[in-house]
Amino acid sequence: MTDPHVADHEQGAVAARPATGLLSRINARIARAGMYLSVSGLLLIVTVVFYQVFGRYVLNSSPTWTENLALVLILYVTLIGAAVGVRDAGHIGMDSLLVMLPEHAREKIELVIHVLVAAFGVAMAYNGWILGASVGTVKIPNLGLPEVVRYVPLIASGVLIVSFSIEHIIALLRGEEVVPSWN
């Protein structure tokens, strides 16, 4: 036995046509590239940490740069991956209450949610810019890179979240659905 509200919501999601506008096509390519970069970064983190462990326990000479590089890579992987999750609706949501609402109320609340997520993306990008500018001349120990490289993924993720949220808002207003980039 199925809940009629859930069945209505699922039928509405199936009935929505896929978003095919220019922004959707651009965002789909960016999201796919972001996924590939995140997976590549994750593999690089595994390689760097493996090298650190190998150096420490086999060579008895742990490389000093590996820990800082792994930490920087984690920022890129998680923040870019989170932005892609916003576009592909892979983030945590409370749909159980939302599906019980009538269609017109659900669409309005979804619109508000996407506007709030976009505002969060603006805050991420803005504050990442401010923080990055404040440490622009400082170097990361053992890497020699400027400290600002730690804030680039925060800014990029914020900008991507804004773009992906705008795409969702446009799709909602047009009665369309954003197709996940892995399809």
Side-chain angles (χ1 to χ4, degrees):
M1 188 164 171
T2 61
D3 183 353
H5 297 293
V6 174
D8 289 343
H9 177 68
E10 289 173 357
Q11 288 174 352
V14 172
R17 50 184 209 276
T20 57
L22 179 64
L23 182 62
S24 289
R25 290 193 307 268
I26 292 170
N27 280 349
R29 288 185 178 147
I30 291 171
R32 185 174 292 267
M35 284 191 304
Y36 287 134
L37 285 172
S38 291
V39 170
S40 300
L42 189 58
L43 293 173
L44 190 56
I45 290 169
V46 169
T47 303
V48 168
V49 171
F50 175 79
Y51 180 65
Q52 181 180 17
V53 170
F54 180 79
R56 179 178 293 153
Y57 293 108
V58 176
L59 302 177
N60 202 24
S61 175
S62 182
T64 58
W65 54 269
T66 53
E67 184 176 347
N68 281 329
L69 181 59
L71 290 172
V72 169
L73 289 171
I74 286 171
L75 293 171
Y76 281 83
V77 167
T78 56
L79 289 168
I80 300 303
V84 172
V86 167
R87 182 188 187 272
D88 294 346
H91 53 82
I92 296 173
M94 297 295 289
D95 289 341
S96 56
L97 296 175
L98 198 57
V99 296
M100 294 181 183
L101 295 174
E103 182 70 26
H104 67 280
R106 184 179 329 123
E107 288 177 359
K108 289 178 182 173
I109 291 175
E110 286 179 1
L111 193 62
V112 169
I113 290 169
H114 289 299
V115 168
L116 291 174
V117 170
F120 181 75
V122 169
M124 284 176 62
Y126 174 76
N127 289 310
W129 184 272
I130 298 298
L131 290 170
S134 71
V135 295
T137 59
V138 179
K139 300 282 186 190
I140 298 174
N142 300 328
L143 287 181
L145 297 172
E147 189 74 37
V148 74
V149 299
R150 293 183 198 253
Y151 296 97
V152 169
L154 183 62
I155 297 165
S157 179
V159 169
L160 289 175
I161 286 172
V162 170
S163 179
F164 296 156
S165 295
I166 290 170
E167 177 186 7
H168 277 282
I169 291 167
I170 292 170
L172 267 173
L173 294 174
R174 290 182 177 171
E176 298 174 342
E177 182 178 355
V178 174
V179 177
S181 54
W182 60 79
N183 284 347

